[in-house]
Amino acid sequence: MIATASGKEPVDRLDEGRDLRDSINGSLINVGVLAALMMALSGAIYTDGAPEPGLCLGTPALQAEMVIAWISMGLYFFSTIGAIVLHLDVEGIPADLLIEHLSGDGQLVYCLPHLATSVGICMTAAAYGIDIGERGGCPFLIFGLLAAPLFVMAIFFLWMYCRKRRIKLFDSSKSESIKVGVSYIATWTDRINFPKGKTAIAA
C-alpha cells in the first residue's frame, strides 16, 4: 500500500512511485485491450449491419445504427491510442516525481481512456439494440432497446458495489492517511498521500 498510517515513518517516495507506476500501467493496459476488443464488436455491425431496408423502422434506423457504431469506434480508437500515449508519459517521469506529476488535473488526464471506453460501450450496446430489431422485426427492436442497457447497468452496479465495499473498508479501518472509495475511475489516487497543497480529484 502506498499510504502510511498516521504517526509512522513515510514510505520512501521512490517505492511509492514505482508502486504507483505499476498500478497506472496495469490500468492503461487493461482499458486499451478492452477498447480494442470493443472496437472489433462495433466494427462488426458497422461493416455487416442488418440487411436493407430493415424489418422495423427501415433505413433511418440503419443509418442511426451506422452513425452510433462509427462514433463508438472513434471513442475506442481514442482510448487505445490515448492509453499508449499516457503509458509513455508515465514511463518518462522519475519515480520520485510521479506523485507530484499526477497531482491535481493530472489525474483527470489519466481517466480519459476509461471515460471514452465507458461512453463507447453504452453506444455499442445501443447500436446492437437497434441491429437486432432491424434483423428480426419490431418486437426484437423493443427487446433490443430494453435489454441492451441492462448489460451496461449490470456492470455499473458491480462497479458501484465494489466502490461501496471500499468505502466500508475505510470506515472500519479508521485510517486517517487514506480515503478508500473516493475515486470512481482513478482508484489508485485513493492510496496516495499527495504533497501539501495538492489534492486528489474524485474522478
Side-chain angles (χ1 to χ4, degrees), residues 20-38 76 79-88 90-91 110 113-114 117 188:
L20 184 57
R21 191 194 311 276
D22 290 342
S23 295
I24 295 173
N25 283 342
S27 178
L28 291 173
I29 290 171
N30 286 338
V31 76
V33 171
L34 174 60
L37 172 62
M38 293 304 300
Y76 297 136
S79 180
T80 304
I81 305 303
I84 295 174
V85 171
L86 293 174
H87 177 87
L88 294 174
V90 78
E91 287 296 325
Y110 280 81
H114 304 73
T117 301
W188 42 266

Side-chain angles (χ1 to χ4, degrees), residues 33-55:
V33 171
L34 174 60
L37 172 62
M38 293 304 300
M39 184 185 292
L41 291 177
S42 287
I45 58 172
Y46 180 77
T47 58
D48 187 24
E52 291 276 3
L55 299 180

Side-chain angles (χ1 to χ4, degrees), residues 141-186:
L141 178 64
I142 296 172
F143 166 77
L145 293 179
L146 291 176
L150 294 180
F151 293 103
V152 178
M153 290 187 66
I155 299 301
F156 175 76
F157 285 127
L158 175 62
W159 180 17
M160 296 305 294
Y161 171 73
C162 291
R163 180 174 181 266
K164 182 178 179 180
R165 293 191 71 233
R166 294 198 304 274
I167 294 174
K168 186 177 180 180
L169 179 66
F170 166 69
D171 291 340
S172 63
S173 69
K174 306 299 182 183
S175 173
E176 297 180 0
S177 60
I178 55 174
K179 293 185 177 180
V180 177
V182 173
S183 300
Y184 289 87
I185 297 175

